[in-house]
Amino acid sequence: MSEPTATDTTADTTPNDGPAPRALTDQELSRLLGAQRFGVLASVRSTGHPHLSTVLYDWDAEERVLRVSSTADRLKVRQLRRDPRASLHVDGPDVWSFAVAEGEAEIVDPADGAAPGAQPLPDRRVTIALRVSRLYGTALDLPARN
């Protein structure tokens, strides 16, 4: 039996192979973000490792901004103040489809205009506004079963 060559495409296929995932268009990604409400927000820890939080979010497709409500004392808020790079991962309608929105977050804090020296409340609400600079994701288009 001979070894497969670099140009032999049959060596990498099996009877279980199916269609490859396809990249979603910007419009499809935006629709997916708008159809979901929960996602996983990734921020960067001071060690460089990712920190993941399940969040409830709102997608503004026209402005390309994701908004997440949080409290000022949460770890994700502190991390985003230090390093604003973040991503939000959203599941699609099946296990093979997803969307990821990347960008830089801004913490919108109503207390930023408070008098100097005022003590913030521990449960003070802030908004994480993720300005999306990149969207990507895939879907797996499986043929319908009869």
Side-chain angles (χ1 to χ4, degrees), residues 4 20 25-26 28 32 35 39 44-45 56 58 63 65 70 73 81 88 98 107-108 113 115 118 126 139:
T25 66
D26 202 58
E28 289 172 312
L32 180 53
V44 182
R45 292 180 179 270
L56 178 68
D58 181 60
E63 289 185 34
V65 173
S70 186
D73 60 344
R81 285 187 191 278
L88 182 88
F98 69 93
I107 307 302
V108 180
V126 298

Side-chain angles (χ1 to χ4, degrees), residues 27 34 52 58 99 105 111 139:
Q27 186 177 23
L52 305 174
D58 181 60

Side-chain angles (χ1 to χ4, degrees), residues 105-121:
E106 173 189 357
I107 307 302
V108 180
D109 188 345
D112 285 346
Q119 292 296 317
L121 298 173

Side-chain angles (χ1 to χ4, degrees), residues 28-93:
E28 289 172 312
L29 291 162
S30 186
R31 265 198 311 271
L32 180 53
L33 285 170
Q36 303 294 345
R37 290 292 167 246
F38 287 95
V40 177
L41 181 70
S43 55
V44 182
R45 292 180 179 270
S46 60
T47 62
H49 293 92
H51 174 256
L52 305 174
S53 301
T54 301
V55 296
L56 178 68
Y57 72 91
D58 181 60
W59 168 239
D60 184 331
E62 195 170 299
E63 289 185 34
R64 287 180 64 99
V65 173
L66 288 159
R67 290 183 177 84
V68 175
S69 179
S70 186
T71 57
D73 60 344
R74 294 284 179 170
L75 180 60
K76 63 182 160 273
V77 172
R78 294 193 315 266
Q79 290 173 156
L80 290 169
R81 285 187 191 278
R82 180 186 43 76
D83 184 342
R85 295 175 297 165
S87 298
L88 182 88
H89 177 276
V90 176
D91 289 330

